[in-house]
Amino acid sequence: MTNNKKVLFLFIIIIILFVLVFFFPSIGSKLRIDFYSSKNFIYKPFKALSEEMTNYLKILNINNQNIEIISSLKNENTNLKEINNMLINSLSKFNELNYIL
């Protein structure tokens, strides 16, 4: 056996023992308490990483929503500018008519 095969074999044995302890612990065993504390210790970095990723995805989602709102507000602003120009034109025509009469 090469070193890689030995390491793989040892890894498989450790996984099997870990699974056996997880599924078949004795009721009053200190091993069960140690196992759950080690499980929490192992899961802490992954939990923190998943929380960071969810926060990052929420921020990206909020950013995309804000970009859509900004684009709709730009369209509304251009429409309001056009309406304003039309009103200025109609007012100037009204003033010219009023001046003539």
Side-chain angles (χ1 to χ4, degrees):
M1 280 177 118
T2 63
N3 264 348
N4 291 338
K5 288 183 181 179
K6 288 179 184 177
V7 169
L8 182 64
F9 182 71
L10 183 64
F11 184 73
I12 290 171
I13 289 175
I14 290 172
I15 289 175
I16 290 171
L17 289 175
F18 205 71
V19 168
L20 285 174
V21 167
F22 181 76
F23 286 115
F24 306 108
S26 61
I27 301 298
S29 174
K30 185 180 180 312
L31 182 62
R32 183 176 187 174
I33 295 169
D34 290 341
F35 174 75
Y36 283 114
S37 65
S38 64
K39 186 173 102 174
N40 289 336
F41 181 73
I42 291 170
Y43 284 154
K44 274 184 185 179
F46 296 111
K47 186 176 180 182
L49 184 63
S50 67
E51 287 176 358
E52 286 181 23
M53 289 301 293
T54 54
N55 288 339
Y56 181 70
L57 291 175
K58 285 179 185 177
I59 289 170
L60 285 177
N61 191 13
I62 291 171
N63 190 20
N64 289 337
Q65 290 174 354
N66 287 341
I67 288 172
E68 291 174 1
I69 291 171
I70 288 172
S71 65
S72 68
L73 289 175
K74 283 182 181 178
N75 290 337
E76 188 176 343
N77 191 17
T78 55
N79 291 338
L80 290 175
K81 283 181 181 180
E82 290 175 7
I83 292 171
N84 190 22
N85 289 335
M86 290 175 10
L87 289 174
I88 288 173
N89 286 337
S90 64
L91 182 64
S92 67
K93 288 178 185 178
F94 179 74
N95 282 338
E96 288 174 5
L97 287 174
N98 209 8
Y99 180 72
I100 292 173
L101 296 176

